[in-house]
Amino acid sequence: MLSRYRPVVASESAVQLTMLLQRLSLCAGFPLSPRTQRTTIFPRLAKALTQVSLARANSNSFAHRGELRKAKRIVVKLGSAVVTRGDECGLALGRLASVVEQVAMLQNQGREMMIVTSGAVAFGKQRLRHEILLSQSVRQALHSGQNQLKDMSVPVLEARACAAAGQSGLMALYEAMFAQYSTCTAQVLVTNLDFHDDQKRRNLNSTLQELLRMNIVPIINTNDAVVPPPEPNSDLQGVISIKDNDSLAARLAVEMKADLLIALSDVEGLYDSPPGTDDAKLIDIFYPGDQLSITYGTKSRVGIGGMEAKVKAALWALQGGTSVVIANGTHPKVTGHVITDIVEGKKVGTFFSEVKPAGPTVEQQTEMARNSGRTLAALHPDQRGEIICHLADLLVEKKEEILAANKMDMDLAVNAGQLSPALLNRLSLSPAKLNSLAIGLRQIAVASQDSVGRVLRRTRVAHNLELEQITVPIGVLLVIFEARPDCLPQVSALAIASGNALLAKGGKEAANTNRILHELTQEALDIHWVKEAVQLVSTREEVEDLCRLDEMIDLIIPRGSSQLVRNIQSAAKGIPVLGHSEGICHVYIDSEAAIDKVIKIVRDSKCDYPAACNAMETLLVHRDILRTPLFDQIIDMLRTEQVKIHAGPRFASYLTFSPSEVKSLRTEYGDLECCVEVVDTMQEAIDHIHRYGSSHTDVIVTENEDTAERFLQQLDSACVFWNASSRFADGYRFGLGAEVGISTARIHARGPVGLEGLLTTKWVLRGDGHTAADFSEQGTMKYLHENLPVTQPQPRQIAAQSED
């Protein structure tokens, strides 16, 4: 009965399900109780609506990876190299088990899964080899009358015989594996004739449709026991011939109107030249027509298809409306989640798409940035300074255009109602903010004069052999920031000053503002023909996918929420991440603190910009201050500023009627809220900060210099202040011009990271025909290792070539 109403569900909103329930009640001839509606009918209707929402509105393939989440009907093709062991005799049970687990999980999500599998020949070969060896050993034992066996050779086994012997065992294995997930399977064997004969094709389609309707996973393979060898060039007009499991999977996917075909092989995907050769690059997205630029390598160790056959099958399926991804199903680190990653839209393997993006891919952007960045690093410091100063001028000259774009973003954000007041404050730009940005950029321009190429150390290793350690850019920076467009010109200026290429990924909330700021940045860069050194990633790239570009990106700098930073730190396995996940900053009020300083510092630390990472989140108060006029003034000031107070456990124990008790002492509020806690001593305050803080910025307010110095020395945070607001933890306020972020790491850079934190070093050795053998026992030279005075060389001005 429910099937009668599925078209209605598909066309009406979920809000109208109540009306459908009433109609169902009339059709049933008796009223449905509210309980029945709630527990039985409504969930079924909701499931039907969910299934319909997974389906595409038309037969076109998906244009972007992110749309693969909508795929409802999915064909998974398992190549011979995925299913079989390295010796080609038997199955790779571990890989097969992980594939089964992923397919079963997707099936249980309401998707319709089909598997096109190889492996019958390998399974049968293992089985027949065993039988032949056993038979030979028995005959030999009977013939010789003794148990000692001679060397036995196994004859070459015919593939069709192996397939006949292996089909039943392969299917029994699939059945047993899927049974662990309460999923039923069914075997379907096909040949080329099943697709060329109209009646057989309709029968096959009907069978598969019925299996899918019953929530059964069809396991499909060519009937290799009877199939004839493929004929060369046997493709019909517009129809792909079934020569191998690649063509079978493509034909089946189109025939069944599948949304997605996942072809798993033993390579990462499609390369522009044979994998393993120099300069071979994995193709992220492949478009029809690109096959002419591809050089194919040899086939895999098993199977009959090869990459050329996979590409041909994939393009045919794509033309038929099915999206295709070719990926590696054998890599031990990714096999356990490769299928689910693809369905989630992650950048895995090669995605086939009919829609070319308007601009370059992120890989192409990174390559352009790296090449232009090397030219940028070779410029004279004055030239890099000119670029930054020109950008500062543009921020002031074009402020009306910038603010107009920012107003568009603000209006969209307010109407969407998804951003908190704190994030809206970060998103907003003003003339004052732009002027402040311009001042900071000019400071960076001055600081850039002696940044790149600065000599840090000189050593005379031996006569006429001198060694220098000099500063150099890190390479390509990826800066990911949320709703804070002012970050773009700041990090751009720092990247330019340090000679680094920059890949900037801004939040979609600031898309209009980021676009105009990036245009102004490239306009400034273009005065010395290095326009491509700063790239704005505006494609659909997920942050996690960007973090996988470990061969192209040298450092990731996240600017945003603690959750964003944690996600990036988790995703960036092979790329260093500079930043902090939380800004849990403390202000400790000592027993010898001055009243006027306490009120000013606490107010500024908490109320000046509550959303900042350097805002106070916990106020630690010495026990002797409780029930004193000073403490009353602190509380009155916080209430006047509308700061919500959460009482720490000890503070709550002193009060009869306390504010709401804090849920966790390790909380970054990011708003007009803070925790108040009591400690007995300065050392207890230090211990509290070490236990619950984030090593960001912490403050002591006291008139006792000895107490203050012990606090400054013993506290292990990136920034430690005495009688000063925590809000001073900022690159601009430190005189760095600007910062790319604040790091709580223990190596490379710590605290506000400005120009210096974006540099690394290299060693330059100048000799005169020296060899290591010259310094051996039989050699004629001796090491001197003399420290030499550090003198800065005059930078050479290198004229950049125009792009014309």
Side-chain angles (χ1 to χ4, degrees), residues 249-566:
R251 185 69 190 271
L252 185 75
V254 174
E255 188 72 29
M256 297 300 296
K257 295 181 173 59
D259 301 310
L260 173 63
L261 167 60
I262 300 175
L264 298 183
S265 183
D266 58 351
V267 291
E268 303 300 321
L270 180 60
Y271 287 79
D272 56 2
S273 57
T277 59
D278 292 341
D279 299 325
K281 293 182 180 179
L282 178 67
I283 299 174
D284 173 39
I285 305 178
F286 189 80
Y287 306 98
D290 288 353
Q291 61 266 36
L292 298 178
S293 62
I294 302 299
T295 303
Y296 297 102
T298 58
K299 298 178 182 179
S300 66
R301 57 177 174 80
V302 288
I304 61 174
M307 185 54 72
E308 188 171 2
K310 289 176 176 56
V311 172
K312 183 177 180 180
L315 290 173
W316 191 86
L318 186 68
Q319 187 179 11
T322 297
S323 296
V324 184
V325 175
I326 297 177
N328 192 338
T330 64
H331 197 294
K333 291 186 178 180
V334 300
T335 301
H337 48 81
V338 60
I339 298 174
T340 52
D341 281 354
I342 290 171
V343 175
E344 289 172 7
K346 295 181 180 178
K347 186 174 287 190
V348 179
T350 299
F351 172 61
F352 286 71
S353 175
E354 294 183 298
V355 181
K356 280 199 172 187
T361 66
V362 69
E363 289 85 359
Q364 292 169 333
Q365 284 186 290
T366 308
E367 192 68 30
M368 290 188 296
R370 183 180 291 279
N371 293 335
S372 193
R374 286 170 176 157
T375 306
L376 173 68
L379 293 178
H380 190 279
D382 288 342
Q383 293 173 304
R384 289 194 293 271
E386 287 173 11
I387 294 173
I388 299 169
C389 287
H390 188 46
L391 176 57
D393 294 339
L394 288 173
L395 291 179
V396 178
E397 293 171 11
K398 306 286 186 178
K399 66 180 178 182
E400 297 300 329
E401 297 175 34
I402 298 171
L403 294 176
N406 185 246
K407 185 179 185 302
M408 292 173 61
D409 289 327
M410 288 293 294
D411 291 344
L412 289 171
V414 171
N415 292 334
Q418 296 179 347
L419 294 186
S420 66
L423 287 179
L424 284 173
N425 193 15
R426 288 184 177 183
L427 177 61
S428 174
L429 290 180
S430 64
K433 270 190 179 181
L434 292 176
N435 289 333
S436 178
L437 275 173
I439 294 171
L441 264 55
R442 293 188 179 95
Q443 289 180 342
I444 295 173
V446 174
S448 68
Q449 295 300 310
D450 61 346
S451 56
V452 180
R454 188 173 75 256
V455 179
L456 302 179
R457 180 187 302 177
R458 292 181 64 224
T459 303
R460 180 177 286 115
V461 178
H463 181 65
N464 282 343
L465 186 63
E466 292 190 2
L467 178 69
E468 287 182 346
Q469 184 185 22
I470 64 172
T471 58
V472 293
I474 289 175
V476 178
L477 312 177
L478 169 61
V479 178
I480 302 171
F481 51 96
E482 293 179 316
R484 48 199 314 163
D486 57 333
C487 179
L488 182 55
Q490 285 182 344
V491 297
S492 296
L494 288 169
I496 294 166
S498 56
N500 284 290
L502 173 64
L503 210 61
K505 171 68 172 174
K508 62 180 180 296
E509 306 87 357
N512 294 296
T513 315
N514 288 337
R515 183 170 57 252
I516 187 170
L517 290 174
H518 177 248
E519 289 172 358
L520 296 178
T521 302
Q522 290 203 318
E523 181 180 336
L525 286 162
D526 206 26
I527 66 174
H528 288 296
W529 302 288
V530 286
K531 177 181 178 180
E532 307 298 339
V534 175
Q535 297 283 331
L536 179 66
V537 180
S538 55
T539 61
R540 294 169 177 257
E541 301 295 327
E542 298 289 343
V543 169
E544 187 172 338
D545 292 331
L546 292 171
C547 293
R548 293 178 179 176
L549 301 176
D550 55 302
E551 295 183 0
M552 309 179 77
I553 294 171
D554 300 299
L555 180 66
I556 300 177
I557 305 172
R559 297 287 303 272
S561 67
S562 58
Q563 187 60 50
L564 170 72
V565 179
R566 280 194 294 268

Side-chain angles (χ1 to χ4, degrees), residues 664-675:
S664 171
L665 290 168
R666 193 179 285 112
T667 301
E668 182 179 14
Y669 298 100
D671 208 341
L672 285 173
E673 297 181 63
C674 74
C675 169

